[in-house]
């Protein structure tokens, strides 16, 4: 399989499929009436070939801007990046030939059939008529769309649309695939189908760079995850790394009375969650009996305030919320707070 | 592609033409399936012809012994070209709404190729409407006296006019924030034939309007078409008309290129 051979070559040269240093981008401000709004404040990324990388962040974190810069659709204000070995500024055309981008907005025509869309894209990618037809048929089959090939895309379900969209991005056999929020707006079934497709791409040795707001998705699909918040990468690593950066476990305690709740609440300003209604507080722990016992004794020396406790593994959601709960760092402020020290609720 | 490979020496304009043709095929398929718009694009010219000939025609004295239907057909053809070309703006805006322009660009398809697809499809739609109007005009008494070469010249001029207006419309589409806005912007272009010699002789208008009518692009185009079709001497008017078309075309393509980069860059 040519893709596999290519992937091996790539791995052999150990060059990253995507490597970015100090990317910054601001929007607005060109008319002099308002100051530019920084979207990216200097991000570094390194994605080894043949891996799946997730850029995770809330809305407005700058994920789409990062993808558009790497896909050469937007010029960064500063910083450098190489994609598939080519500089995004100097070798823009080579980058475009080596990548595909599937964005948040459908990039296929509603009033063409799936087959027509794919044939058109294949022709634009430089294939001849017959080759384009063969490529379209192959992709339709691979994405489970052969049955629907001759129906107009506007009759497709959400999941089918996203798949034909993704297929349209693959006509040129790209080495690096960018997926900007590929499952946003899909129902669970559509999302599952798309995950399968991404898994399949990764298995073929394609480098996949995806953005998502869903931790579950990043956890499921990605070899490595970077959390983007306020234009900077606040954490990077495998899903396991990210979970381990938090204490790893959570102790949830339920207080006996509202007074007890208030008393204990003031003793633990670093609670990761607090809910006066149910009188519960959550706090990080390493999960050892020693630490849990010490915590309980410290918080409730008289042994009368805490009614119940529960110990559980921190979810990736909690990691995410902790990392992105801080106000976005301002451009002249100190570096982003270390994710190891969640100092606030 | 190993990363040590030298950059392929592809001249920038080389892929534009084949890409433009692929994009034209796309725009034609989209036009064919946008049934409502297509019916409007074909029915409106026919209606306009009937309205001018039967509603207004009886009351209009063109000051010549030519039957009004023969006098007005060039005007109706231009009016239709104005209406028809304006749909280019809507098509361009529709593209910009979704993500397909980014996809095209990531396939290294340039803005000019994308817009050319819409423009050429617009020319095709307009020629279809033109043929329909001419067929009906013949049926209701349009009797041109043109030689074959004059016919060719008239059609070439009409194509040049449609091409220029369609590119202008494409540029307007890049300025508009929504398809609805695009529709509004192009509406005034559709009105240019009214203050011209399209439907009535310009010397029947107030003096200040005659001054405008005589020096706006539609008048030389109409006068040329009419002269060519009725086998009257046209002098240098067709060249003036062509110069207008060329000027609009160059200005529109140039600004479309700039606007495209500004809008999506």
């Amino acid at each position: 399989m040519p893709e596999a051979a290519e992937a091996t070559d790539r791995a052999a040269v150990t060059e990253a499929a995507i490597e970015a240093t100090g990317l910054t981008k601001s929007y607005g401000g060109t008319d002099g009436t308002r100051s530019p709004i920084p979207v990216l404040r200097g991000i570094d990324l390194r994605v080894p070939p043949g891996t799946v990388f997730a850029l995770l962040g809330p809305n407005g974190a700058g994920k789409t801007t990062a993808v558009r810069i790497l896909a050469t659709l937007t010029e960064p204000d500063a910083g450098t990046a190489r994609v598939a070995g080519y500089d995004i500024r100097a070798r823009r055309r080579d980058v475009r030939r080596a990548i595909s981008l599937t964005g948040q907005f459908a990039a296929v025509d509603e009033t063409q059939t799936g087959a027509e869309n794919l044939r058109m894209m294949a022709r634009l990618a430089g294939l001849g008529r017959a080759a384009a037809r063969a490529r379209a048929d192959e992709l339709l089959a691979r994405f489970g769309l052969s049955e629907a090939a001759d129906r107009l895309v506007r009759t497709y379900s959400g999941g089918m649309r996203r798949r034909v969209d993704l297929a349209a991005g693959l006509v040129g056999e790209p080495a690096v695939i960018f997926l900007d929020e590929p499952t946003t707006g899909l129902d669970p079934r559509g999302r599952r189908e798309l995950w399968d497709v991404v898994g399949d791409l990764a298995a073929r040795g394609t480098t996949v760079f995806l953005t998502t707001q869903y931790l579950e998705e990043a956890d499921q699909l990605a070899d490595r995850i970077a959390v983007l918040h306020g234009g900077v990468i606040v954490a990077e690593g495998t899903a396991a790394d990210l979970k381990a950066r938090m204490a790893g476990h959570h102790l949830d305690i339920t207080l006996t009375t509202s007074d007890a709740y208030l008393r204990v609440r003031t003793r633990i300003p670093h609670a990761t969650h607090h809910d006066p209604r149910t009188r519960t507080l959550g706090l990080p722990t390493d999960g050892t009996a020693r630490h849990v016992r010490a915590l309980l004794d410290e918080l409730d020396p008289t042994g009368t305030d805490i009614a119940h406790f529960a110990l559980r593994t921190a979810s990736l959601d909690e990691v995410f919320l902790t990392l992105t709960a801080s106000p976005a760092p301002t451009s002249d402020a100190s570096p982003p707070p270390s994710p190891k020290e969640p100092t606030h609720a | 592609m190993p990363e040590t490979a030298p950059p392929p020496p592809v001249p920038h304009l080389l892929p534009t033409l084949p890409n433009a043709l692929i994009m034209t095929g796309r725009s034609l398929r989209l036009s064919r399936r946008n049934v409502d718009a297509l019916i409007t694009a074909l029915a409106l010219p026919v209606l306009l012809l009937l309205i001018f000939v039967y509603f207004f025609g009886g009351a209009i004295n063109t000051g010549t012994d030519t039957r009004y239907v023969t006098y007005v057909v060039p005007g109706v053809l231009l009016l239709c070209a104005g209406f028809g070309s304006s749909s280019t703006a809507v098509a361009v805006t529709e593209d910009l709404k979704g993500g397909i322009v980014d996809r095209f660009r990531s396939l290294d398809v340039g803005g000019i190729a994308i817009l050319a697809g819409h423009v050429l499809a617009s020319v095709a739609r307009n020629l279809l409407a033109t043929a329909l109007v001419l067929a009906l005009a013949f049926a209701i008494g349009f009797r041109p006296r043109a030689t074959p070469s004059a016919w060719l010249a008239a059609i070439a001029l009409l194509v040049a006019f449609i091409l220029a207006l369609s590119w202008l419309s494409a540029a307007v589409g890049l300025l508009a924030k929504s398809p609805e806005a695009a529709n509004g912007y192009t509406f005034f272009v559709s009105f240019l034939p009214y203050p011209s010699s399209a439907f009535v002789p310009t010397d029947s208008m107030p003096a200040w309007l005659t001054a405008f009518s005589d020096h706006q692009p539609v008048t030389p185009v109409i006068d040329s078409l009419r002269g060519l079709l009725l086998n009257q001497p046209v002098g240098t008017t067709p060249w003036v008309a062509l110069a207008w078309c060329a000027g609009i075309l160059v200005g529109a393509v140039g600004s479309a290129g700039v606007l495209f980069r500004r809008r999506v860059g």
Side-chain angles (χ1 to χ4, degrees), chain A residues 6 10 15 68 73-75 82 84-86 91-94 96-98 101-102 105-109 111-113 116 120-121 123-125 152 154 165 168-169 171, chain B residues 1-8 10-12 15 18-20 22-23 25-26 29-30 32-34 95 97-109 264-265:
Chain A
E6 210 175 311
R10 247 165 241 290
E15 190 180 8
R68 287 181 62 87
L73 296 177
T74 297
E75 282 242 2
R82 291 167 74 79
Y86 302 113
R91 304 284 291 275
R92 178 191 269 233
R93 294 170 71 84
D94 295 302
R96 287 191 182 175
R97 256 176 231 143
L101 166 64
T102 300
F105 301 104
V108 289
D109 284 317
T111 48
Q112 290 202 79
T113 67
E116 282 169 347
M120 171 180 76
M121 296 300 179
R123 299 267 287 131
L124 291 173
L152 296 186
R154 70 166 169 230
D165 200 356
V171 289
Chain B
M1 244 173 298
E3 62 100 30
T4 46
V10 184
H12 191 70
N19 283 346
I22 298 167
M23 299 310 291
R26 163 188 184 244
R29 278 193 295 279
L30 298 185
R32 213 170 61 218
R33 284 171 192 154
N34 193 348
D95 268 7
K97 245 178 25 181
I100 201 154
V101 169
D102 283 346
R103 168 65 50 72
F104 289 146
R105 288 178 70 220
S106 75
L107 284 167
D108 218 17
V109 180
V264 300

Side-chain angles (χ1 to χ4, degrees), chain A residues 18 20 23 25 27 39-40 43 45 53 55 61-74 76 81 83 88 101 178 180 209 211 228 231 233:
Chain A
I18 300 170
L23 292 180
K25 180 76 186 174
Y27 282 113
V39 178
L40 296 180
I43 64 167
L45 295 166
F53 184 89
L55 189 60
K63 302 188 296 291
T64 297
T65 303
V67 167
R68 287 181 62 87
I69 288 173
L70 294 174
T72 77
L73 296 177
T74 297
V83 173
I88 54 163
L101 166 64
F178 292 96
D180 191 13
F209 183 105
T211 72
L228 184 64
I233 304 276

Side-chain angles (χ1 to χ4, degrees), chain B residues 3 15-16 21-22 26 36 40 54 73 79 100 104 106 114 118 120 188 223 237 256:
Chain B
E3 62 100 30
T16 300
L21 292 178
I22 298 167
R26 163 188 184 244
D36 301 342
T40 311
Y54 292 114
V73 162
L79 190 61
I100 201 154
F104 289 146
S106 75
I114 299 172
H118 289 304
L120 292 177
F188 88 98
D223 288 348
T237 317

Side-chain angles (χ1 to χ4, degrees), chain A residues 93 104 136 192 246 257 266 316:
Chain A
R93 294 170 71 84
Q104 294 173 40
R192 175 67 57 184
M246 298 287 290
T257 63
T266 54
L316 208 48

Side-chain angles (χ1 to χ4, degrees), chain A residues 28-62:
Chain A
T30 45
D31 55 1
T33 54
R34 57 209 160 97
S35 55
I37 298 156
V39 178
L40 296 180
R41 300 164 194 265
I43 64 167
D44 301 340
L45 295 166
R46 191 169 191 285
V47 182
T51 61
V52 179
F53 184 89
L55 189 60
L56 178 64
N59 280 332

Side-chain angles (χ1 to χ4, degrees), chain A residues 109, chain B residues 23 26-27 30-31 34 84-102 104 110-122 125 165-183 185-186 252 255-257 259-261 263-264:
Chain A
D109 284 317
Chain B
M23 299 310 291
R26 163 188 184 244
S27 295
L30 298 185
S31 302
N34 193 348
S85 308
S86 65
S87 57
T88 314
V90 179
V92 168
T93 328
E94 289 281 357
D95 268 7
L96 292 171
K97 245 178 25 181
I100 201 154
V101 169
D102 283 346
F104 289 146
I112 293 297
I114 299 172
L115 299 173
H118 289 304
V119 167
L120 292 177
S122 160
R125 280 194 310 268
L165 277 197
S166 297
W167 270 109
L168 187 65
S169 184
V172 168
L174 290 167
L175 277 175
K177 294 276 181 284
S178 70
E180 293 75 17
N183 218 352
Y185 284 143
T186 54
S255 43
L259 287 170
F260 188 88
R261 276 192 293 280
R263 178 80 183 253
V264 300

Side-chain angles (χ1 to χ4, degrees), chain A residues 248-321:
Chain A
H249 288 81
H250 268 261
L251 180 68
D252 288 338
I253 55 176
T254 308
L255 287 311
T256 48
T257 63
S258 296
D259 281 350
Y261 173 84
L262 291 173
R263 216 163 22 242
V264 175
R265 173 89 181 79
T266 54
R267 282 184 210 140
I268 37 172
H270 58 289
T272 52
H273 78 90
H274 46 92
D275 184 348
R277 212 167 34 81
T278 57
R279 300 191 303 272
T280 54
L281 288 165
L283 58 165
T285 165
D286 62 8
T288 59
R290 219 163 68 105
H291 189 237
V292 172
R293 192 180 296 127
L295 270 176
L296 293 174
D297 286 345
E298 183 195 332
L299 296 173
D300 183 15
T302 57
T304 53
D305 287 347
I306 297 175
H308 308 287
F309 74 88
L311 191 64
R312 59 188 172 76
T313 310
S315 74
L316 208 48
D317 281 290
E318 279 161 324
V319 180
F320 181 66
L321 289 173

Side-chain angles (χ1 to χ4, degrees), chain A residues 154-178:
Chain A
R154 70 166 169 230
T155 67
Y156 285 16
S157 70
M160 288 163 78
R161 265 168 217 241
R162 214 56 76 93
R163 275 182 285 148
V164 79
D165 200 356
L166 188 50
L170 298 183
V171 289
E173 305 201 39
V176 179
I177 294 176
F178 292 96

